[in-house]
Amino acid sequence: MVLEIMHIDMDAFFAAAEQLDNPELKGKPVIVGGTKLSKRGVVSTASYEARRYGVHSAMSIVEARKLCPDGIFLPGRRQRYAELSERVFAIFAKYTPLIEKLSIDEAFLDLTGCHRLFGTSVQIGKAIRQEIKEKIGLTASVGLAPNKFLAKLASEVDKPDGFYIIKEDEIDDFLLDLPVGKIWGIGEKTADILLGRGIKTVGQLRQLSINLLSSLFGKAGERLYYLSRGIDRRSVEVNNELKSISYEETFQNDLSDKHRLYARLAVMSSKIARRLRMYSLQGNTVSIKVRYGDFRTYTRRLTMAVPTSTDDTIYSTAKRLLNKEGLLNKPIRLLGVGISNFSTGDKKQLSLFSDRIKEEKLSKTIDGIKDRYGDNIIKKARNLE
């Protein structure tokens, strides 16, 4: 077995995103999932400062408030977290196409065949962590091991901002004293049955035969037998194919000012274009979505002859759809824009359009500036209300 499987988990992702966007929150107990006055809801993420008080994910907001009365409670911004997640996964994709997305903030990476280009698995892991830190401003913890089960366990060892490696000859030393609850698939009910037999550690679990475990837990028992020995034959299942990219915004008050609507459309178009370029994609079909105060909703789309990943083309096409259909003739509650029908782009065809090439080069230059200095460092005038 070799070190080919990596598990990467962003550290306290939602809370870290809030601290990134608001530096005044750094070093403070941030709890994402509700406001301080919420009577319902659960904690989505707690910063490491809040975790010192015993606050953790899936805990009720009411309980979190009791444990951490001075905590900073925030309702969360899913769209912002999705934006940051896209940037993180774009970094993963630079090193390997074999990515299994587990959630918005964690994934397995299979590094098979990547070493000639990027060095050893250890070098790749360090490069990914460093790039996330430098380009996005967040930290990630990495686990490197011969299989998925061990890699996920490894990523939890040295959080936050950790990098832990489990080599083949270290598997027994790592597993034997581990609580059985750490094994993937062992829930509360299974743990209670094992505890009733005096089984508290993985080492003790290994004393049970595969026949006994199968009789107790069926197929799951056979899996426990092998996992307790560090054996996991599951492969990384690639599941990160994008079908479309879209943004929408619901306004606090219905909006009728065309210039303000165009500005919001421009901002959303810029975000979409940047995400396309992160994945080296181009889209052929631009769509818009409009919802009025009475909740009547309209969608329109246009498929272009030439695919694009530029702000200008997405914005101008979306704007044309809005005006052509007369959708701006009454106040708007929600406005959205999207792109789909992806391709990697036909460069020969694109070369016939010199203006489009100039737009691509300008966009990539702007991306580089934003990556280095932050998203708000440079904006087009039309994006300003």
Side-chain angles (χ1 to χ4, degrees):
M1 290 189 289
V2 291
L3 298 171
E4 300 282 15
I5 306 300
M6 183 178 293
H7 180 260
I8 304 182
D9 191 13
M10 300 301 294
D11 298 320
F13 184 50
F14 295 172
E18 297 297 341
Q19 291 173 324
L20 175 70
D21 290 347
N22 184 358
E24 292 182 1
L25 297 179
K26 289 184 177 180
K28 297 180 180 179
V30 175
I31 300 165
V32 178
T35 66
K36 198 161 187 175
L37 299 177
S38 298
K39 294 183 179 179
R40 295 184 178 182
V42 296
V43 175
S44 295
T45 308
S47 69
Y48 286 92
E49 295 84 3
R51 294 181 191 190
R52 296 192 191 110
Y53 292 85
V55 179
H56 57 79
S57 299
M59 173 183 285
S60 72
I61 292 294
V62 172
E63 188 177 356
R65 194 161 53 233
K66 291 178 182 177
L67 291 172
C68 188
D70 295 326
I72 299 168
F73 291 79
L74 301 172
R77 298 175 296 153
R78 278 280 173 179
Q79 191 157 305
R80 174 56 174 159
Y81 309 148
E83 291 173 13
L84 291 170
S85 175
E86 291 288 351
R87 294 178 63 187
V88 169
F89 275 79
I91 291 174
F92 297 165
K94 289 173 59 176
Y95 294 90
T96 176
L98 302 177
I99 303 168
E100 181 178 341
K101 185 174 184 178
L102 299 179
S103 66
I104 194 172
D105 63 343
E106 65 173 317
F108 286 116
L109 279 62
D110 187 337
L111 305 180
T112 304
C114 300
H115 303 113
R116 184 174 294 180
L117 284 174
F118 303 111
T120 66
S121 296
V122 174
Q123 290 171 328
I124 292 172
K126 289 181 178 179
I128 290 174
R129 284 174 69 239
Q130 189 65 23
E131 194 165 346
I132 291 172
K133 190 179 293 185
E134 289 182 354
K135 291 189 174 181
I136 304 177
L138 298 172
T139 65
S141 292
V142 172
L144 186 61
N147 59 54
K148 290 167 70 171
F149 167 60
L150 294 172
K152 185 166 175 59
L153 286 177
S155 68
E156 299 171 358
V157 172
D158 199 22
K159 275 183 161 292
D161 197 19
F163 191 163
Y164 195 85
I165 302 167
I166 303 176
K167 299 178 182 178
E168 185 176 358
D169 59 0
E170 299 170 342
I171 293 174
D172 286 348
D173 288 341
F174 181 83
L175 285 179
L176 289 178
D177 294 327
L178 209 65
V180 289
K182 289 287 187 179
I183 293 185
W184 171 70
I186 290 188
E188 188 175 337
K189 186 176 179 180
T190 302
D192 286 343
I193 294 174
L194 291 172
L195 186 60
R197 290 177 168 267
I199 305 300
K200 298 180 181 179
T201 68
V202 174
Q204 291 172 328
L205 179 62
R206 283 194 187 182
Q207 305 306 311
L208 304 184
S209 70
I210 189 170
N211 291 332
L212 176 57
L213 286 169
S214 296
S215 67
L216 289 172
F217 306 113
K219 277 272 190 183
E222 184 178 337
R223 186 184 70 242
L224 292 181
Y225 177 85
Y226 288 110
L227 290 182
S228 69
R229 287 158 175 77
I231 301 170
D232 180 10
R233 297 187 177 90
R234 293 175 300 155
S235 61
V236 170
E237 299 179 5
V238 179
N239 57 6
N240 60 329
E241 183 181 356
L242 281 173
K243 299 295 185 183
S244 64
I245 297 173
S246 63
Y247 281 93
E248 61 183 43
E249 182 177 351
T250 300
F251 305 118
Q252 189 169 359
N253 299 303
D254 293 358
L255 198 57
S256 58
D257 186 320
K258 287 187 178 181
H259 296 293
R260 293 185 66 190
L261 287 166
Y262 290 153
R264 300 314 305 159
L265 186 71
V267 169
M268 289 186 277
S269 299
S270 295
K271 290 181 177 180
I272 287 171
R274 191 171 184 202
R275 288 173 68 187
L276 283 172
R277 293 189 293 270
M278 283 180 191
Y279 286 96
S280 299
L281 291 174
Q282 295 178 324
N284 278 85
T285 303
V286 174
S287 59
I288 58 166
K289 178 179 178 181
V290 171
R291 179 172 296 153
Y292 299 117
D294 58 6
F295 287 90
R296 282 188 297 162
T297 303
Y298 297 88
T299 58
R300 299 289 186 270
R301 59 178 50 86
L302 175 66
T303 298
M304 302 172 291
V306 179
T308 187
S309 63
T310 68
D311 312 29
D312 291 345
T313 304
I314 297 171
Y315 169 70
S316 61
T317 304
K319 184 177 177 182
R320 188 162 74 248
L321 281 170
L322 282 173
N323 288 312
K324 179 183 177 182
E325 299 290 338
L327 296 173
L328 300 179
N329 293 334
K330 60 174 67 175
I332 289 176
R333 174 186 177 86
L334 175 148
L335 178 65
V337 61
I339 194 163
S340 58
N341 194 12
F342 293 147
S343 69
T344 55
D346 186 337
K347 297 299 181 184
K348 291 182 179 179
Q349 185 180 19
L350 190 59
S351 67
L352 299 174
F353 298 82
S354 58
D355 288 344
R356 188 73 62 84
I357 291 176
K358 291 178 182 177
E359 289 176 17
E360 292 278 5
K361 289 181 177 178
L362 176 61
S363 297
K364 289 178 180 178
T365 300
I366 293 174
D367 288 347
I369 294 171
K370 288 184 174 181
D371 284 343
R372 185 168 184 180
Y373 298 106
D375 288 345
N376 294 322
I377 194 68
I378 184 169
K379 293 181 180 180
K380 293 185 176 182
R382 69 177 179 220
N383 291 28
L384 305 174
E385 292 188 19

